[in-house]
């Protein structure tokens, strides 16, 4: 009898109206400035930051801010999954994000050869109002706010030294805020002009001249040796001399920072007397000013005379954003016409004798343009970011070191973050052409020829198996639908019955639509397996509802108000500040729906709550995620003992300034015995729900998990999938890695690691000997995997199969195949003397590089995209929630289109 299982009945659900929020701002962390006391020569000039990639910050129109981290391993320069979502900072409701700025928290002591991590950064945002927000990225909350004192904030920009933040306000004033010593306070207000300040850019920093010494010495090195390092830090540094602003009065202005007055005014073109809006400005290292305005014109201005050098009518509508390439020889602009344009600087030929010919050869040209978005592009960013430093202070890679191609990031109203390699074309013919590395692992690296990649948008869709419910959470509410069961094949009579006719049968129904009163956007929700309990939470309050069926087939939510008082007692008692926030960052129900597990958003406390009684009762509180654990290089070397985790003293708590790490994933085993929780510091703890006790701590992994799940056949086996698609297996009962899983990733076909999207979920089919219905109707269809057996499931069929899925793909992986070809463990001497006494013989491992063999064990299906959720609702019956991009874009206003004469 064949071992292949019968086909799956697939509910392809497109009725879920999940709509992500448009992207309004993008930002990368700035690179620290080198010390101006020593120019970048010799070994210092050759020092490179290696293959480190900074955090990508994405601001949304609903007020949320997403943090995306690079998925490559430490030291690796390529990652097929690029940047993936790490966490979300929920915005106050209602709010929006218009501008973002990142600065280094302590720039004076931060090493100049390192890339700042989120703990080293300060994040600022503005949303069209008069308040500037500073975010606490560790606690996911707003740290402080400050008023602009000048009306709405139209633009913000930080200087290269991360010491000052400039605000462009409604009243026509530029205000500088001091960021020294991790503070935020008003420093200076510039003179008033009669227009809005729509855009700001800082001029290149200037090395600060050292103060003259009393002894008359003119040798800086001798002075530093005599005065010490502290005096060196005070005497040598960077200072800012001017900045440029774009206004709503058809002009740009250059400002003197020392006096706060405009020194020059540059006028742009006008049409029919209407004012031209200068939406974006930038400055190069030589002082060249770049502007983009509402006429679709990109202009380059001379910094000394403030006259126009070049003008390009590159866009058909407003230019909303621009960014500068890492080497300063490329500029990218985009805006309302969805087109991204590249400008390239052509330098003069070294052998030209005539100065006139040399000046004519040095110019900017419009070298390429592409359309990668369907609607307005609101923001552009490049990694590595541009630092406007003089050439003598720029770092160059060591000879022979790989040259990492820069990545252009763009986002706008179509809600997708697009990544595009943007290597300058001149690099392809230079000496470094052979050493160029594409971080996205695609073929071409130049902007004109490269393949762009979209980062899938985040959605919160969950499926309740037994109740056949699908829930979708949005900013302030939640919707629930029911997937109707498949009718029996015996009821089909010539396809004429409305209940069985594929064209007339209704396969789903809406059962609940909720709108909640919230302080911030919702951050987490969960639905019990039997569909009785629903829990939702914003940053400050968790709300539990009991869902009761109505006579019409819908659901009526009844809130359990006593839960708030219960949570306040347990959450606030574990907080040093006595916070009364009862919000949860993650929820999960046990398979029998009798217990709910809550992870506190403020303290990361794990609460086991019994919901089967008349009133919710907290059975146990665990504080493992708020305690310090033994780390080595930021990772756990081995699991901590139970006594160390349970008897941790209060002195071992995390510093209040950082706060406890947020719990990002939780999973309960199918038998309800084990609970696994993981946080953003890669700590994973295991708890026994039978005895309600802490069990063990697992070794930490390079990244927080994307998927945390237990296998149904062996409930003690925990599977962890990381954002780079690597799979890790742990036996939580024995607190060890099974022997067959030691080199698991080396036996998995490479196609799984090369997918452009990260694994978002793993689904296991429930065991049953009954065959699923073979009826295909309405939104049902058979799965795409090759199957040829439509009879009952054979007894020899093993349930060691898992369906891995990402946003644009899914595949079936046979876990029994992985275990079958495991490496044999090292035998003891006694076993070597008697090799045939009770020792299993493992099958020889096949050739791992045989593509035909890999294809038989792994086939990736890309017919469904983007996938929001996937799970089984019964044996042989699977639900796949899909939200086509066309449906998402249909709710947006029409895109800009400018017809041309003679074209339709």
């Amino acid at each position: 009898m064949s071992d292949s299982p019968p086909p799956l009945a697939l509910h392809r659900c497109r009725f879920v109206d999940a709509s992500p929020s448009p992207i309004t701002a993008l930002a990368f962390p700035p690179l620290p400035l080198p010390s101006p006391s020593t120019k970048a020569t010799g070994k210092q000039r050759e020092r490179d930051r290696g293959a480190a990639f900074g955090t990508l910050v994405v601001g949304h129109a609903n007020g949320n801010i997403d943090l995306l981290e690079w998925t490559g391993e430490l030291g690796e320069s390529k990652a097929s999954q690029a940047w993936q979502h790490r966490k979300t900072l929920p915005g106050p409701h209602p709010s929006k994000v218009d501008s973002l700025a990142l600065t280094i928290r302590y720039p004076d002591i931060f090493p100049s050869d390192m890339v700042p991590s989120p703990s080293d950064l300060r994040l600022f945002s503005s949303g069209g109002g008069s308040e500037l927000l500073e975010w606490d990225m560790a606690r996911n909350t707003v740290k402080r706010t400050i008023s602009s004192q000048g009306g709405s904030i139209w633009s913000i920009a930080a200087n290269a030294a991360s010491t000052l933040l400039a605000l462009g306000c409604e009243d026509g004033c530029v205000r500088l805020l001091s960021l020294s010593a991790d503070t935020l306070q008003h420093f200076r207000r510039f003179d008033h002009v009669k227009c809005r300040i729509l855009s700001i850019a800082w001029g290149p920093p200037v090395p600060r001249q050292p103060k003259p010494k009393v002894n008359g010495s003119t040798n800086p090195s001798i002075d530093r040796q005599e005065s010490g390092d502290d005096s060196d830090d005070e005497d040598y540094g960077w200072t800012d001399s001017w900045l440029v602003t774009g206004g709503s009065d058809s002009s740009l202005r250059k400002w003197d920072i020392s006096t706060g007055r405009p020194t020059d005014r540059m006028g742009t073109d006008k049409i029919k007397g209407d004012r031209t809006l200068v939406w974006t400005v930038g400055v190069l290292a030589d002082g060249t000013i770049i502007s983009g305005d509402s006429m679709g014109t990109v202009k380059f201005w001379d910094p000394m005379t403030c006259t126009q050098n070049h003008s390009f009518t590159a866009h058909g509508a407003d230019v909303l954003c621009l960014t500068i390439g890492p080497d300063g020889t490329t500029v990218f602009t985009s805006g309302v016409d969805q087109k991204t344009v590249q400008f390239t600087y052509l330098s003069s030929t070294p052998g030209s004798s005539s100065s006139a010919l040399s000046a004519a050869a040095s110019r900017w040209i419009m070298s390429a343009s592409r359309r990668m978005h369907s609607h307005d592009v609101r923001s552009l960013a490049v990694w590595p970011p541009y630092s406007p430093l003089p050439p003598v202070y720029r770092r160059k890679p060591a000879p022979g070191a790989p040259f990492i191609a820069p990545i252009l990031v763009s986002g706008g109203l179509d809600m997708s973050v697009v990544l595009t390699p943007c290597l300058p074309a001149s690099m392809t013919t230079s000496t470094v052409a052979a050493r160029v590395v594409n971080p996205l692992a695609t073929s071409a690296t130049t902007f004109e020829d490269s393949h762009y990649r979209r980062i899938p948008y985040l959605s919160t869709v969950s499926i309740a198996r037994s109740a056949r419910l699908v829930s979708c959470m949005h900013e302030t509410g939640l919707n629930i639908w029911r997937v109707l069961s498949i009718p029996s094949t015996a009821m089909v009579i010539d396809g004429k019955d409305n209940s069985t006719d594929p064209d007339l049968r209704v396969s789903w129904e809406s059962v609940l639509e909720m709108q909640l009163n919230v302080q911030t956007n919702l951050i987490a929700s969960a639905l019990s397996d039997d569909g009785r309990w629903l829990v939702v939470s914003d940053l400050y309050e968790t709300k539990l509802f009991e869902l009761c069926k109505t006579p019409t087939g819908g659901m009526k939510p009844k809130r359990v108000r006593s839960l708030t008082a219960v949570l306040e007692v347990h959450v606030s008692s574990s907080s040093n500040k006595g916070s009364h926030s009862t919000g949860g960052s993650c929820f999960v129900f046990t398979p029998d729906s009798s217990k709910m597990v809550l992870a506190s958003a403020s303290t990361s406390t794990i609460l086991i709550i019994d919901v089967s009684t008349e009133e919710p009762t907290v059975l146990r509180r665990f504080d493992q995620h708020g305690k310090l654990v033994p780390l080595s290089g930021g990772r756990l070397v081995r699991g901590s003992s139970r006594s160390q985790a349970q008897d941790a003293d209060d002195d071992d708590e995390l510093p209040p300034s950082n706060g406890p790490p947020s719990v990002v994933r939780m999973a309960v085993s199918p038998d309800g015995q084990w609970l696994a929780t993981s946080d953003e510091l890669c700590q994973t703890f295991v708890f026994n729900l039978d005895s309600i006790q802490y069990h063990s701590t697992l070794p930490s992994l390079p990244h927080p998990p994307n998927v945390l799940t237990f296998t149904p056949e062996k409930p003690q086996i925990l599977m962890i999938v990381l954002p780079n698609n690597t799979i890790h297996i742990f036996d939580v009962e024995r607190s060890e890695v099974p022997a067959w899983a030691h080199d698991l990733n080396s036996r998995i076909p490479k196609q799984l690691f090369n997918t452009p999207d990260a694994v978002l979920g793993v689904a296991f089919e429930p065991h049953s000997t009954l065959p699923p219905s073979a009826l295909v109707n309405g939104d049902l269809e058979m799965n795409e995997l090759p199957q040829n057996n439509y009879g009952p499931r054979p007894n020899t069929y093993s349930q060691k199969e898992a369906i891995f899925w990402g946003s644009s793909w899914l595949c079936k992986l046979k876990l029994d195949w992985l275990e079958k070809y495991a490496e044999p463990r090292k035998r003891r001497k006694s076993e070597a003397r008697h090799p045939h006494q009770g020792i299993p013989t493992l099958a020889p491992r096949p050739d791992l590089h045989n593509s035909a063999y890999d294809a038989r064990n792994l086939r990736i299906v890309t017919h469904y995209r983007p996938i929001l959720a996937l799970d089984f609702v019964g044996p042989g019956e699977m639900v796949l929630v899909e939200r086509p991009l066309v449906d998402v874009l249909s709710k947006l206003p029409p895109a800009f289109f400018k017809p041309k004469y003679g074209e339709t």
Side-chain angles (χ1 to χ4, degrees):
M1 186 176 291
S2 174
D3 289 341
S4 62
L8 299 176
L10 177 65
H11 295 266
R12 191 174 183 180
C13 304
R14 293 186 172 184
F15 51 81
V16 178
D17 56 351
S19 296
S21 180
I23 297 169
T24 55
L26 298 169
F28 276 116
L31 298 181
L33 298 179
S35 174
S37 59
T38 305
K39 296 182 179 180
T41 57
K43 294 183 178 180
Q44 277 195 343
R45 188 171 185 174
E46 294 176 356
R47 293 183 64 183
D48 189 26
R49 293 179 176 87
F53 293 83
T55 303
L56 174 60
V57 183
V58 182
H60 293 272
N62 62 1
N64 287 349
I65 299 178
D66 295 335
L67 303 184
L68 285 72
E69 296 286 351
W70 185 254
T71 58
E73 297 288 347
L74 185 62
E76 290 185 357
S77 57
K78 288 185 178 181
S80 297
Q81 293 75 31
W83 284 274
Q84 293 293 328
H85 180 271
R86 173 67 58 89
K87 64 191 300 186
T88 297
L89 310 181
H93 178 76
S95 66
K96 63 177 181 176
V97 176
D98 284 337
S99 303
L100 291 173
L102 285 169
T103 63
I104 300 176
R105 190 178 306 276
Y106 301 107
D108 296 337
I109 61 176
F110 191 80
S112 60
D113 58 344
M114 293 182 59
V115 175
S117 63
S119 60
D120 304 316
L121 297 170
R122 301 176 67 181
L123 173 60
F124 302 93
S125 71
S126 65
S130 61
E131 296 288 329
L132 177 73
L133 307 182
E134 180 180 0
W135 293 83
D136 188 336
M137 290 185 283
R139 300 178 183 271
N140 304 340
T141 60
V142 177
K143 184 177 182 179
R144 60 167 68 100
T145 63
I146 189 172
S147 175
S148 66
Q149 301 179 1
S152 300
I153 301 174
W154 282 87
S155 56
I156 62 176
N159 65 343
S162 295
T163 57
L164 294 173
L165 184 68
L167 308 181
C169 301
E170 175 81 16
D171 64 349
C173 287
V174 176
R175 289 169 171 84
L176 300 185
L177 303 182
S178 175
L179 307 179
S180 60
D182 198 18
T183 61
L184 183 63
Q185 55 188 355
H186 282 272
F187 176 69
R188 177 172 296 166
R189 181 175 68 89
F190 286 8
D191 287 353
H192 170 76
V193 293
K194 295 182 180 180
C195 70
R196 296 168 179 158
I197 307 298
L198 302 180
S199 53
I200 297 181
W202 290 80
V206 179
R208 184 185 302 122
Q209 297 297 327
K211 298 178 182 179
K213 300 300 177 179
V214 178
N215 55 8
S217 174
T218 59
N219 192 336
S221 61
I222 297 177
D223 292 338
R224 290 195 303 271
Q225 293 176 1
E226 293 178 355
S227 59
D229 295 338
D230 295 339
S231 178
D232 175 45
D233 294 338
E234 296 177 359
D235 293 344
Y236 290 88
W238 297 92
T239 183
D240 299 284
S241 59
W242 58 275
L243 57 80
V244 62
T245 62
S248 59
D249 61 345
S250 310
S251 66
L252 294 85
R253 287 177 176 85
K254 184 178 179 181
W255 301 79
D256 189 332
I257 295 178
S258 60
T259 62
R261 297 179 179 178
T263 59
D264 295 282
R265 182 179 181 273
M266 295 157 275
T268 60
D269 301 332
K270 298 181 181 180
I271 294 181
K272 298 180 182 179
D274 295 336
R275 290 187 175 183
T276 302
L277 308 178
V278 183
W279 289 116
T280 179
V281 291
V283 180
L284 300 176
D286 60 356
T288 299
I289 300 171
I290 313 166
S291 66
D293 55 42
S294 57
M295 294 180 59
T297 305
V298 179
K299 296 179 180 293
F300 293 80
W301 306 83
D302 184 270
M304 301 300 296
T305 62
C306 291
T307 56
Q308 176 181 302
N309 287 338
H310 306 281
S311 179
F312 302 92
T313 307
H315 298 270
D318 300 46
V319 181
L320 301 180
C321 51
L322 69 81
T323 188
I324 303 172
D327 58 352
T329 61
T330 54
V331 173
F332 301 92
T333 61
S334 191
V336 175
D337 65 347
Q338 316 108 37
K339 184 169 62 173
T340 304
V341 179
Q342 180 189 38
F343 299 90
T344 304
Y345 180 72
L346 298 181
S347 60
S348 59
T349 56
S352 58
S353 58
S354 173
S355 59
L357 293 176
S358 177
S362 300
R363 66 187 189 278
W364 285 89
I365 63 170
M366 189 172 67
S367 55
S369 64
R370 301 181 64 179
R371 274 191 171 88
M372 300 173 290
H373 294 267
S374 61
H375 286 69
D376 303 10
V377 179
R378 293 290 304 274
S379 185
L380 295 173
V382 169
W383 181 262
Y386 176 65
S387 297
L389 296 175
V392 293
Y393 294 100
R394 297 178 189 171
R395 280 188 172 83
K396 293 185 178 180
F403 186 87
I404 309 299
I407 301 297
L408 175 66
V409 185
S410 58
L413 297 186
D414 59 0
M415 305 120 172
S416 297
V417 178
V418 174
L419 309 177
T420 311
C422 57
L423 184 74
S426 59
M427 291 288 186
T428 58
T429 58
S430 63
T431 56
V432 301
R435 298 185 280 114
V436 172
V437 176
N438 187 350
L440 302 183
T442 54
S443 55
T445 56
T446 59
F447 174 75
E448 188 175 5
D449 302 326
S450 60
H451 298 279
Y452 64 86
R453 178 170 297 172
R454 295 181 183 270
I455 298 179
Y457 44 75
L458 186 66
S459 64
T460 52
V461 178
S462 59
I463 299 174
R465 283 189 173 188
S466 302
R468 306 176 66 89
L469 298 178
V470 178
S471 68
C472 176
M473 184 184 73
H474 48 88
E475 287 87 357
T476 60
L478 186 138
N479 298 340
I480 299 180
W481 300 266
R482 179 184 290 114
V483 179
L484 302 181
S485 57
I486 304 175
S488 173
T489 55
M491 297 174 57
V492 180
I493 304 175
D494 298 330
K496 300 298 184 181
D497 191 355
N498 292 349
S499 62
T500 57
D501 192 351
D503 297 329
L504 301 176
R505 191 181 73 88
V506 178
S507 303
W508 58 273
E509 60 182 358
S510 176
V511 296
L512 182 63
E513 293 183 3
M514 297 179 61
Q515 288 292 332
L516 304 175
N517 185 16
V518 295
Q519 300 182 49
T520 69
N521 294 333
L522 296 178
I523 60 176
S525 67
L527 195 62
S528 64
D529 191 60
D530 60 358
R532 179 185 177 187
W533 301 103
L534 170 66
V535 60
V536 294
S537 175
D538 62 1
L539 191 61
Y540 300 105
E541 185 180 12
T542 296
K543 299 179 181 180
L544 178 65
F545 298 90
E546 183 179 4
L547 303 180
C548 305
K549 293 185 178 179
T550 62
T552 59
M555 286 187 171
K556 181 179 180 181
K558 179 183 178 182
R559 184 178 176 185
V560 183
R561 298 188 178 275
S562 59
L563 178 67
T564 302
V566 173
L567 295 180
E568 285 182 353
V569 175
H570 292 82
V571 174
S572 61
S573 62
S574 62
S575 175
N576 294 333
K577 296 184 179 181
S579 173
H580 293 285
S581 171
T582 61
S585 62
C586 193
F587 301 96
V588 66
F589 287 91
T590 55
D592 59 359
S593 303
S594 63
K595 299 183 184 67
M596 179 182 72
V597 184
L598 178 148
S600 172
S602 59
T603 63
S604 298
T605 300
I606 304 297
L607 298 180
I608 311 298
I609 304 173
D610 188 356
V611 295
S612 61
T613 57
E614 184 176 354
E615 297 292 339
T617 306
V618 176
L619 302 178
R620 188 72 184 273
R621 187 188 77 218
F622 297 104
D623 299 324
Q624 272 71 19
H625 288 283
K627 304 293 182 180
L628 289 175
V629 292
L631 298 176
S632 175
R635 296 178 58 184
L636 279 169
V637 178
R638 57 188 304 175
S640 304
S641 64
R642 183 178 304 179
S643 61
Q644 289 177 343
Q646 288 181 335
D647 302 332
D649 298 330
D650 294 338
D651 296 337
D652 293 337
E653 294 183 357
L654 293 173
S657 59
N658 296 330
S662 300
V663 177
V664 295
R665 294 287 184 274
M666 294 195 300
V668 177
S669 60
D671 59 357
Q673 180 181 1
W674 303 104
L675 166 68
T677 63
S678 184
D679 57 34
E680 58 186 355
L681 292 185
C682 309
Q683 301 177 108
T684 303
F685 299 99
V686 179
F687 306 91
N688 191 319
L689 293 182
D690 288 345
S691 59
I692 315 183
Q693 291 183 350
Y694 164 81
H695 181 70
S696 63
T697 301
L698 301 182
S700 66
L701 300 172
H703 303 280
N706 260 17
V707 178
L708 199 67
T709 184
F710 289 88
T711 60
E713 187 182 40
K714 296 181 179 180
Q716 75 276 14
I717 298 298
L718 175 66
M719 176 184 295
I720 301 177
V721 186
L722 301 186
N724 56 6
N725 291 0
T726 57
I727 303 174
H728 302 268
I729 304 294
F730 295 95
D731 188 330
V732 298
E733 187 173 11
R734 299 182 179 181
S735 300
E736 64 180 12
V737 178
W740 60 271
H742 282 167
D743 57 346
L744 177 63
N745 291 294
S746 64
R747 303 194 304 276
I748 296 177
K750 300 305 179 183
Q751 299 99 306
L752 184 65
F753 305 123
N754 296 332
T755 57
D757 301 328
V759 176
L760 298 181
V762 179
F764 298 93
E765 182 179 1
H767 178 70
S768 175
T769 58
L770 297 177
S773 173
L775 179 65
V776 181
N777 52 22
D779 56 351
L780 301 178
E781 60 183 38
M782 296 304 168
N783 71 334
E784 301 295 334
L785 298 181
Q787 311 288 356
N788 52 15
N789 184 9
Y790 293 89
R793 292 181 180 270
N795 295 330
T796 58
Y797 171 66
S798 175
Q799 197 191 358
K800 294 184 180 181
E801 289 184 342
I803 295 182
F804 291 74
W805 60 274
S807 177
S808 60
W809 60 273
L810 62 89
C811 69
K812 181 182 290 186
L813 200 61
K814 297 182 179 180
L815 301 183
D816 54 352
W817 167 74
L818 298 177
E819 183 176 353
K820 179 179 179 181
Y821 296 105
E823 283 282 5
R825 61 182 177 87
K826 185 177 288 187
R827 298 180 295 176
R828 298 178 180 177
K829 293 183 179 180
S830 58
E831 295 175 351
R833 298 190 189 100
H834 308 282
H836 302 289
Q837 294 183 2
I839 301 176
T841 302
L842 297 176
R845 179 186 298 187
D847 183 10
L848 296 179
H849 300 285
N850 189 340
S851 58
Y853 187 88
D854 291 347
R856 291 197 301 269
N857 291 278
L858 180 70
R859 177 185 171 187
I860 295 180
V861 178
T862 59
H863 296 175
Y864 316 102
R865 62 177 61 189
I867 302 174
L868 305 184
L870 186 148
D871 204 352
F872 286 89
V873 293
E877 190 176 358
M878 186 170 64
V879 170
L880 184 148
V881 180
E882 187 182 19
R883 183 63 169 165
L885 184 61
V886 177
D887 296 343
V888 176
L889 299 180
S890 64
K891 294 188 175 182
L892 296 177
F896 172 81
F897 173 72
K898 186 176 182 180
K900 296 182 179 181
Y901 178 76
E903 297 181 5
T904 57

